[in-house]
Amino acid sequence: MVSSPAGWGKSALLWSWAADRPNRAAWVADGDREGFWHRVLSAVATSVVDSPFAGVTAATGPRRLIEALQRSSAAPTIVVDDCNDAADAGELARLAQAARSSSTGTRLILACRGNPNFPLHRWRVDGRLAEISEADLAFTVDETADLFAGHGLILPWLAVAELHARAEGWPAGLRLAAVELQHADPAQILAGSAATESVADYLAAEVLGSLDPGKRCALAEISVAERLTADFVNAMTGRVDGAALLADLQHGGAFITRCAGTEDTFRLHPMLSRTLYRELGRHDRDRTAQAHRRAAHWHAAQGPPADVLRHLLAAGDWKSAIRVAERDWAEIVVGVRCLNQPATAIPAPDGEPPRHLWFAMAAERLDAGDIVGTRHLLQLARADENTYGDGQDTEPLPFAALELTAARLEADLDGGYALASQVLAAPASGEELAAGTAATLHPLALLSRGAAELQRGELPAAERDLRDALTLARRRDMGRAAISAASHLAACHAVRGHLRQAAQCAAETLDRANRLSLVQLVDLGWSRLALAETYFQWNRLEDAERCAAAAVDGSRGDRLIQLWGTILQARIRTATGRPGDAHRMVRAAAREMVTTDLPLAIRCALWLVEGELRLACGDLDRAHKLVQACRDGGALPVPAAVLEGSILLAEGRPALAATAVAPYVSAPDEFTSRTYRAWAGLVSALAGQGLGHREQTTRGLETALRMAEEEDLRRGFAAGGHRLRALIESVAPTMPVFSQVAAVLTGTLDAAMRDSLPYPSRNGRDAIPAGSAIPPLTDRELTVLRYLQGSLSHGEIAELLHISVNTVKTHVKNIYSKLGATRRKDAIRRGRELRFL
């Protein structure tokens, strides 16, 4: 059963499925309910055999269908599109019973918009029901990129991720956006005008057109907010049936969904919300202002203060907005929220507005993630002669808090660090101490300084500042600041290799944000990245990919989260044998680096992840150059040393490999990640085995096993393949203290034996089974074979290897000949059987 909102793209998916099975699919289109069985038998007869069906009725239809199916030579799949409109629940149940009674293996697909209006519990209990929802039909970021490429659009990867997040993977909406992008500036789409005329027309016809005027009017009234509850709907519309209205709209597939982890909170799809918002004020601008006033009044009692401020500004209530900004600035200017709300139009103030209004408007822009708008409004505030009318040379503390957050979100590490240190060092006046204003600013300054230290790689200092920020924020009941500090702290734990601590901190932070209704904070992306890194090192690759994708989807313009998430996604794709996808992500992130001034650590991380990709594909010369670029940059020395050691092992130079990682095995400092210490131990152990140095092998493996036991590390071992399994089996018995973790890791290796070797060898000598008649592949042929695992074209492989397309084709021809293959799929399968891959 396929269940999705109207226009989600379900029919296109089913048509594509049926087109691949022309002799087995019986398509029953929408139509008059009285002719339902006539259409069913017509579809079955067309796809199976010619069978008369004149005079069929609802009473005789099931029997006639069973007879037609039993006469068929092959069991078809019956597809009923828009089943809620095509037949009533009783007839659909009889259709299912007839298909099951025919004993022909016939499958039934029921496609409907929204939830079906018939009971499904029996099919679920019997295990005969497979359900596909809108979440299953939604495009991934990769599929979105492919869609845009199919329309001739080559966009930056992060722009694609942003568009995907705004559309929430809606296929039809993304296609319409692609059409618009062929004729419009992408920045307009990203700025919030994604409700273009084509999208608005589509939604009006497919979603809103079927609603009665009362429901459509109510939807327009509540479109000013993202999170909807029954109480909010009643307050906005004057109705008393808000709960029933939301449930009916969700059941009917009107692009409204229940928020995760809640029972009574819903939200509109962002594109529908923008369409409704435009409709709200199209004929009466006062109607929009009145809706914002009602929303501000409701949020004043329910929170959060940032929503109150936004609605007051949209309503033009300047005095009330200034009061809220002055009272709740510490809760508003902490960071960005991931708001899928319509682009709220804030009217321009009349006359010469006071600086406090500029601050209120700047705080609202900061909360929405508009850093450019925030900076512009701050400049207007500074230009006001009254800003420093008290004769002081320092800005008011709320302005300083806003500056701190803006610098952090802009990745201005030096500026943010300097300003935060200045705030923390400045003595507070007696009046400020009495009001507690300075004490309120301190956790925000600690948060900003800790975030800057985290990006600069000063991890012990970052951990101290973030812990202090978390403690002070909780003490002063600053919910958003506490969650932001805890989320950054989880990321710090993950980077330091304290994986259990990172997972616990991240999970607690996400749970606390959910309980406080602060799930929209973009800074929660750091918690998701911490979980993604932890799951990756635990070898739970599907969970890691899910968390990394969630972090990127919710980043909303935070370039640091976007890029770190993209880098981690590329590592996951490399580990799961998708080098083509990994390369595309690396290349997209590299293009972003060219136009953006970002921390050196990110640039080095990008070089290293590409180095891992090149190593996995056997392109060792290029991998060496990327490691050297990282060393020249001066950041991430431990990951660079581990990667260099891995490359040297693959080249058959164990002595140099051992030298590269030795400082991080024997005497690591507080900056050495526990994760990379384990990887360094594995490289040292394998190098010692190659050199015949028993003591070095034992010491390196002992280091890796200790880290694995303490932090549940699995990834380095899972990627080790046969070579590492043999090493553990030969050495671990001499270390009885690690016998239990060694047994667990051996099982992990058994399950992962189909994965690539951790350190590909030249000419594949270690990969060819004894007695094999397969001629050895050359270095370049091995590299090309590994790139063939992905979806890269011959031209893209040529670009990667800096050779001609004809040379790639020659290598592919030789690979096919040596492996006895005639196509890419067979060559990859044969390569895996022979452990070339």
Side-chain angles (χ1 to χ4, degrees), residues 134-255:
E134 59 267 28
D136 302 304
L137 294 173
F139 275 15
T140 64
V141 179
D142 292 332
E143 290 168 335
T144 301
D146 291 340
L147 173 69
F148 289 154
H151 285 77
L153 297 167
I154 306 300
L155 300 178
W157 178 264
L158 298 182
V160 172
E162 181 78 1
L163 284 166
H164 171 268
R166 288 190 180 276
E168 296 185 349
W170 175 33
L174 287 168
R175 188 181 186 282
L176 290 170
V179 173
E180 290 293 331
L181 281 168
Q182 292 176 318
H183 310 288
D185 180 2
Q188 295 178 348
I189 303 284
L190 293 173
S193 59
T196 57
E197 290 297 333
S198 58
V199 176
D201 292 344
Y202 186 89
L203 291 171
E206 293 287 340
V207 180
L208 302 178
S210 61
L211 299 178
D212 64 64
K215 288 183 178 179
R216 184 164 179 166
C217 179
L219 280 174
E221 294 287 340
I222 63 178
S223 67
V224 298
E226 183 185 28
R227 295 173 70 84
L228 311 171
T229 63
D231 186 47
F232 178 78
V233 172
N234 292 338
M236 293 295 294
T237 63
R239 302 171 69 111
V240 294
D241 61 344
L245 174 64
L246 292 173
D248 288 346
L249 289 171
Q250 184 199 26
H251 186 272
F255 270 52

Side-chain angles (χ1 to χ4, degrees), residues 312-336:
L312 288 173
L313 290 171
D317 189 346
W318 312 129
K319 291 183 179 180
S320 299
I322 290 172
R323 284 198 299 271
V324 169
E326 290 181 336
R327 183 187 65 219
D328 298 313
W329 60 269
E331 191 68 10
I332 296 173
V333 301
V334 175
V336 175

Side-chain angles (χ1 to χ4, degrees), residues 77-398:
T77 294
I78 303 174
V79 182
V80 183
D81 195 11
D82 289 333
C83 64
N84 281 341
D85 297 327
D88 60 34
E91 285 182 316
L92 291 173
R94 286 190 289 274
L95 173 63
Q97 180 63 36
R100 187 164 59 251
S101 300
S102 67
S103 302
T104 60
T106 298
R107 292 184 297 175
L108 177 63
I109 294 180
L110 304 178
C112 51
R113 296 179 172 185
N115 296 324
N117 56 7
F118 52 93
L120 301 172
H121 55 279
R122 291 185 180 178
W123 294 349
R124 289 193 180 104
V125 171
D126 293 343
R128 294 193 297 266
L129 179 67
E131 298 177 79
I132 303 174
S133 67
E134 59 267 28
D136 302 304
L137 294 173
F139 275 15
T140 64
V141 179
D142 292 332
E143 290 168 335
T144 301
D146 291 340
L147 173 69
F148 289 154
H151 285 77
L153 297 167
I154 306 300
L155 300 178
W157 178 264
L158 298 182
V160 172
E162 181 78 1
L163 284 166
H164 171 268
R166 288 190 180 276
E168 296 185 349
W170 175 33
L174 287 168
R175 188 181 186 282
L176 290 170
V179 173
E180 290 293 331
L181 281 168
Q182 292 176 318
H183 310 288
D185 180 2
Q188 295 178 348
I189 303 284
L190 293 173
S193 59
T196 57
E197 290 297 333
S198 58
V199 176
D201 292 344
Y202 186 89
L203 291 171
E206 293 287 340
V207 180
L208 302 178
S210 61
L211 299 178
D212 64 64
K215 288 183 178 179
R216 184 164 179 166
C217 179
L219 280 174
E221 294 287 340
I222 63 178
S223 67
V224 298
E226 183 185 28
R227 295 173 70 84
L228 311 171
T229 63
D231 186 47
F232 178 78
V233 172
N234 292 338
M236 293 295 294
T237 63
R239 302 171 69 111
V240 294
D241 61 344
L245 174 64
L246 292 173
D248 288 346
L249 289 171
Q250 184 199 26
H251 186 272
F255 270 52
I256 183 171
T257 56
R258 191 187 306 273
C259 295
T262 67
E263 291 294 331
D264 59 350
T265 305
F266 299 78
R267 63 184 184 84
L268 293 170
H269 188 279
M271 285 189 164
L272 178 63
S273 180
R274 295 185 182 101
T275 299
L276 288 165
Y277 189 75
R278 292 200 325 169
E279 186 174 291
L280 176 67
R282 176 170 295 168
H283 303 296
D284 184 1
R285 292 184 179 180
D286 289 341
R287 185 184 177 197
T288 302
Q290 291 169 3
H292 280 294
R293 290 190 188 96
R294 289 194 296 271
H297 179 75
W298 187 85
H299 280 101
Q302 305 292 331
D307 278 336
V308 182
L309 177 62
R310 178 171 64 86
H311 289 300
L312 288 173
L313 290 171
D317 189 346
W318 312 129
K319 291 183 179 180
S320 299
I322 290 172
R323 284 198 299 271
V324 169
E326 290 181 336
R327 183 187 65 219
D328 298 313
W329 60 269
E331 191 68 10
I332 296 173
V333 301
V334 175
V336 175
R337 287 184 301 162
C338 177
L339 295 176
N340 263 327
Q341 62 191 22
T344 304
I346 296 178
D350 297 327
E352 294 292 334
R355 65 183 174 92
H356 298 291
L357 180 56
W358 292 131
F359 170 76
M361 297 175 75
E364 187 276 334
R365 286 293 82 203
L366 181 73
D367 180 69
D370 180 7
I371 306 301
V372 174
T374 301
R375 288 295 187 191
H376 173 67
L377 290 164
L378 281 174
Q379 289 175 359
L380 292 176
R382 293 191 189 98
D384 189 341
E385 293 181 359
N386 295 326
T387 300
Y388 307 108
D390 54 5
Q392 298 181 7
D393 293 330
T394 59
E395 295 188 49
L397 294 180

Side-chain angles (χ1 to χ4, degrees), residues 470-514:
L470 177 59
T471 300
L472 290 177
R474 286 178 174 173
R475 188 177 299 165
R476 299 193 62 81
D477 197 24
M478 298 168 62
R480 288 180 67 172
I483 287 174
S484 183
S487 196
H488 280 84
L489 185 59
C492 187
H493 291 323
V495 174
R496 301 193 72 184
H498 300 160
L499 302 182
R500 291 181 175 178
Q501 204 170 0
Q504 180 180 357
C505 183
E508 289 176 352
T509 302
L510 291 168
D511 179 66
R512 181 175 176 82
N514 186 59

